[in-house]
Amino acid sequence: MDSGWSRRRFVGALGAAAGASVLSGCGDGGTAGSTPARPSGSTWPGATASASAPAAKEPSGQRPLYLGTYTSMEGGGEGIGVAAYDPVSGRITGSGTITGVPDPSYLAVHPDGRTLYAVQERERGAVTAVRTSDREVLGSRATGGAHTCQLAVHPGGRWLLSADYGSGTVAVHPIDASGALGERTALVTHSRPAPGPGQEGPHAHQILTTPDGGHVLAVDLGTDTVYSYRLDQRAGTLTEVARAHTRPGAGPRHLTFHPGGRYAYLACEVDDTVSVCSYDPSSGRLTIGRPQSTGAKADTNYPAQFAVTPDGAYAFLANRGDDTIARYAVEADGARLRLLGTVPSGGTFPRQLALSPDGGLLFTANQRSGTVGVFHVDGRDGGLRRAGEPFASPVAVCALPL
């Protein structure tokens, strides 16, 4: 395999015919050589802004939206897409690109909103900081692993956590007062347990802080395990305190917490299931519940990610392959998910979901169609209604509404 392609991205480029193979990574490359047409109603300037160019002012009432892509893939983008969305209508308007950040496939923002962070999903994994006020790239740091695929900012704002899919490692970097990153303070490899059926090694797919801030959890698709760590907030080191195991071969991908903080929802992409997990804040231990349906009807489906409404009443799941969004009612204070049905995602291969801060809009990054879909969320019944035509964004793999 070419060193510029992670296992995650190679799988997607194989297309739907390869869905039954063990190469069921999270990303896919769309259709080689194709460039998505611009849907009607969308705006995406052809020229890109340099990293140091002044940020365009957003129209009154509009909110920022950042878009992740693959730059090394044919038909991909040129960097981090910069846009704005209307929180009432859901309409997206593009305003350029932050260049100089290769393969920014996942994005996160600092709690103060002044700094954006992006992975560099390449053989030599890295993380990058970008100042949001003027789009200035503040620098990058190597993670010490391969194909960095996900990252998160610790709630205190002093540490950046990242996961390396290719090497099965997780890393920690300090964040200084300007938002820039310092040298890595921790690198942990998931060497145990042994990789699950059909896996050639560990694949750290996600890292996140628990809602109480007491623990850091890392989801590893290759070892079928969710690892719990304590973060030393002075030294920036990780100490393992617990492990939770899925069924062998389940391939856990992404964990999303209920606002109550005692339950979380796990998407397992290899066996096409989801599970409700309970979390014990005192020990950091996660307990994974029984597998449940994703609602998908397609022969091959890879569930990607949950999004939970701010009031904790509803949860949504991206189904890649089925190209739908599953809707769940959340019951028993977060302890139960009840499948309500599915709706079309408005594109092909929905890689990621994100809710606007008020929960009124749901964004879907549709990787193979190169579009971002927007839905109005009905707070009364969790219903989803399309907010106009999808917005064109090359190889859309992450949408971050602020």
Side-chain angles (χ1 to χ4, degrees):
M1 186 182 304
D2 183 84
S3 61
W5 283 65
S6 72
R7 177 171 172 272
R8 291 156 35 87
R9 297 167 63 189
F10 177 69
V11 171
L14 294 177
S21 75
V22 298
L23 298 177
S24 54
C26 84
D28 81 82
T31 304
S34 66
T35 301
R38 179 181 293 118
S40 61
S42 65
T43 304
W44 190 257
T48 60
S50 68
S52 58
K57 289 187 177 180
E58 296 160 11
S60 177
Q62 294 212 328
R63 299 288 303 160
L65 175 68
Y66 296 99
L67 304 169
T69 185
Y70 287 117
T71 59
S72 61
M73 187 173 293
E74 188 171 1
E78 297 182 15
I80 301 169
V82 182
Y85 69 95
D86 186 309
V88 177
S89 69
R91 180 181 174 85
I92 298 174
T93 304
S95 60
T97 303
I98 300 171
T99 59
V101 186
D103 291 320
S105 63
Y106 198 88
L107 310 171
V109 70
H110 193 279
D112 65 15
R114 295 185 299 176
T115 312
L116 179 72
Y117 299 97
V119 303
Q120 293 185 23
E121 192 171 330
R122 295 195 158 193
E123 183 65 33
R124 186 176 183 268
V127 285
T128 300
V130 180
R131 191 164 54 217
T132 56
S133 61
D134 58 4
R135 305 180 188 176
E136 178 73 22
V137 176
L138 301 178
S140 301
R141 296 287 184 177
T143 63
H147 302 116
T148 311
C149 67
Q150 200 263 357
L151 80 176
V153 184
H154 187 270
R158 293 184 55 217
W159 304 101
L160 184 72
L161 314 167
S162 58
D164 302 304
Y165 185 88
S167 53
T169 51
V170 294
V172 183
H173 287 82
I175 300 173
D176 70 19
S178 72
L181 299 170
E183 290 291 345
R184 184 181 67 246
T185 56
L187 180 67
V188 178
T189 301
H190 295 158
S191 57
R192 296 180 181 179
Q199 299 285 3
E200 80 283 6
H203 295 298
H205 214 307
Q206 181 195 20
I207 190 164
L208 72 160
T209 304
T210 57
D212 64 340
H215 296 90
V216 170
L217 304 183
V219 181
D220 196 296
L221 182 148
T223 63
D224 294 319
T225 301
V226 180
Y227 301 83
S228 295
Y229 297 97
R230 284 197 182 277
L231 171 67
D232 184 321
Q233 296 192 44
R234 291 187 176 183
T237 55
L238 296 171
T239 301
E240 185 181 325
V241 296
R243 295 179 188 176
H245 305 287
T246 66
R247 294 188 303 172
R253 169 189 169 87
H254 197 281
L255 187 75
T256 303
F257 269 89
H258 182 270
R262 296 304 297 267
Y263 298 96
Y265 312 116
L266 182 65
C268 293
E269 71 168 76
V270 178
D271 72 354
D272 188 21
T273 64
V274 299
S275 295
V276 177
C277 307
S278 60
Y279 167 67
D280 177 14
S282 61
S283 66
R285 185 172 298 277
L286 196 76
T287 301
I288 300 173
R290 64 178 179 82
Q292 296 180 224
S293 172
T294 63
K297 300 297 191 295
D299 292 337
T300 301
N301 183 65
Y302 303 120
Q305 176 186 344
F306 273 103
V308 183
T309 55
D311 63 3
Y314 298 97
F316 305 104
L317 174 73
N319 279 321
R320 299 169 299 162
D322 199 52
D323 294 340
T324 58
I325 303 168
R327 298 167 49 243
Y328 295 86
V330 179
E331 301 174 337
D333 295 325
R336 289 200 304 265
L337 290 178
R338 177 167 57 87
L339 181 65
L340 299 175
T342 62
V343 298
S345 68
T348 307
F349 221 68
R351 164 77 170 268
Q352 181 252 1
L353 297 179
L355 285 158
S356 58
D358 65 359
L361 296 172
L362 180 71
F363 296 80
T364 65
N366 299 306
Q367 184 171 351
R368 289 183 180 169
S369 56
T371 56
V372 176
V374 188
F375 295 82
H376 294 285
V377 179
D378 191 324
R380 298 168 299 178
D381 59 6
L384 297 177
R385 176 174 55 87
R386 283 181 58 178
E389 293 299 314
F391 176 78
S393 180
V395 189
V397 292
C398 183
L400 179 62
L402 302 183

